[in-house]
Amino acid sequence: MSSLLAIETKDLGRIYKLRGNKKEPRKELVALQDVNLTVERGELFGLLGPNGAGKTTLIKVLTTLLSPTSGWARVAGADVSTDPDAVRPKINMVSGGESSGYGLLTVRENLWMFSQFYGVPSKEANERIVALLEMVGLKDRMNTKSAELSTGLRQKMNIVRGFLTDPEVLFLDEPTLGLDVGAMRDVRRFILDWLKADQERTLLLTTHYMAEAEELCDRVAIINKGKVLACDKPSVLKQRLQKDALFEIEVSPLNGLTQQMLLDQPEVTKAAVQEIETGAKLSLSLVEESALARVINLFTQKDVKVMSLSKREPTLEDVFVDLVGRSMAEEESNERSE
Amino acid sequence: MQTSTSWRSFRMAAWLGWLIESNWTDPFLFAVYSIVKPISGAAILVIMYGIISQGNYESALFPYIYLGNAFYIYVGAVMTGVSWAVVDDREHYRTLKYMYIAPIHIPIYLLGRGVARFITGSIAVLITLLAGILFLNVRINFAEVDWLLFFTTLIVGVVMLAMLGLLLAGVTLTLARHEGFIGEATAGALYIFSGAVFPLDILPEWMRPIGYFMPTTYWLELLRRSLVGNVAQAFPTLANFSNLQILGMLVGLSIFFGAVSIFIFRWCDFIAREKGLIDRTTNY
Ligand SMILES: Nc1ncnc2c1ncn2[C@@H]1O[C@H](COP(=O)(O)OP(=O)(O)OP(=O)(O)O)[C@@H](O)[C@H]1O
Ligand SMILES: [Mg+2]
């Protein structure tokens, strides 16, 4: 009865009860709400959302660490809350941005131990460990105590731990968080190679790097405040914006030009003004490319000079702005001030 | 499949626990912890006894007290060994969540982690006994020791203590803060209710039932009887019961507490998943 679906959720919800104190009564925090997702076997699925969106919460529920408060979820064919023992042998998980592991064991010992918990035959485990460490460029540190590794290297070790047990469904929570650019590239390539090697392997990763989601994922769910706002292939998500023409214009000086003036132009659907030393950077979304003439006209009236102008393809960032009404960075700073 | 899962959970946990426990970067600390501490504890007891009894070390009462105290080392060691693993993995190594999602039996994993403290605890008990025999006037006639009773009792008791450790591990799991010393604290609290260094009869009447309910009471009594025989005059608490009857009570209570422990652990485990406590870390 091997189902085609690696992950399936139905109206999944999670509410945290926050402990009250003398000043404030108990509060409830809705971390996930009515999440309906299906991920097929062989997919690389991305969860994209700002801080506090509920990505980690969703991973915790799917990996049997946290009970949902409503709805249900199935991973590798079994229900995560009623049948966790059937789920666990088939999954693994890595969270980035934290250094876990037994510092007094060597890299190899740490990994070997976990492979034994999954019942991987010792010889095979050792072969896999060497091969995987080679792939992430950690082989020469195999016999180093993991406490002596830098945070980034320890994270790589942790990533290897996730892949080592050859899970059917692998969950990566911000796997590249805190890594330098080179290491990030290594890890991304490693993820893609691993998936390519076996069509049945499924990987769910969370990220708040738009480019990462775009580069890696077959499908992406955009999630904000616990709700899935859209879920599709990155190209399809972007198509909905394709009708708009996006322009980046650098001008100098600004001469009192405001965002509102730009928005007042009939064909301008979105405008952002970011002041820089030499003037300002404008991001415009136009109904039609021809509307650019009108904007240039406005510049002439205001005596604003165009320093550079480029047309750009929509990104997932634009999709997020389109769905939420503000950028992910704005959403995050807003979250903090709340 | 079931047994192999359990066995590998236990075996790997014991291996890990031993590497952690024996990783004394400072051998001096190791010596202090496992040799000096128990011996000085015993020495204080001997001195106190000497003052109270006016130096009557020949009394059969003396080895009774000394042995009770020595074997009580196991109580803290084993209970802490099992329950501390939760704190260690969750707070220190941040691996508890990875253990949890692995296809292992978490209770058996935790019991395995306790093996190392059982071993270091055994060393401490042995050293204390040796010190007692060599320097502190403790007399044991090895020809008269009931070894079968001794080892049966020891094994039953250690299993019982490990199960109590599991109970504490469950409680630890639901406590957000790092209540790591819950094992030692519980051992300390139970010390006076176990007839370790004085008979339960000394306690106020309303407190005695606690002692009668603790399996440690019967365990210590049997260990002492197996080594030095019964001292009914000074420790009259269980004098009317035969060894076999006491063993029966020990086994019965152990099974009872074992079942309660499993039940409570499961319940705490459920609560921890409800509340999302498995990967909760407190910031030191
Ligand atoms: N154990 C908890 N108790 C109470 N609230 C929690 C708990 N864990 C998470 N939350 C809250 O639930 C919401 C979702 O958190 P979650 O960690 O899932 O977000 P995230 O998308 O992973 O964010 P980030 O990008 O910062 O990792 C947040 O508002 C967070 O404060
Ligand atoms: Mg997160």
Side-chain angles (χ1 to χ4, degrees), chain A residues 14 67 95 102 117 161, chain B residues 8 89 95 97-98 273-274:
Chain A
R14 171 70 211 196
S67 314
S95 2
Y102 297 94
F117 283 134
R161 181 189 51 69
Chain B
R8 71 168 186 253
D89 279 4
T95 47
K97 60 180 170 185
Y98 299 129
R273 290 210 281 153
E274 285 290 302

Side-chain angles (χ1 to χ4, degrees), chain B residues 237-255:
Chain B
T237 322
L238 300 168
N240 294 328
F241 297 97
S242 71
N243 290 353
L244 214 59
Q245 282 172 317
I246 296 178
L247 188 62
M249 286 186 267
L250 172 63
V251 170
L253 281 173
S254 298
I255 291 172

Side-chain angles (χ1 to χ4, degrees), chain A residues 96-98 155 173-179 184 208-209:
Chain A
E98 54 155 47
Q155 187 160 336
D173 193 5
E174 319 241 7
T176 58
L177 190 72
L179 294 180
M184 244 185 212
H208 59 254
Y209 302 123

Side-chain angles (χ1 to χ4, degrees), chain A residues 55-56 173-174 206:
Chain A
K55 306 180 295 290
T56 301
D173 193 5
E174 319 241 7
T206 76

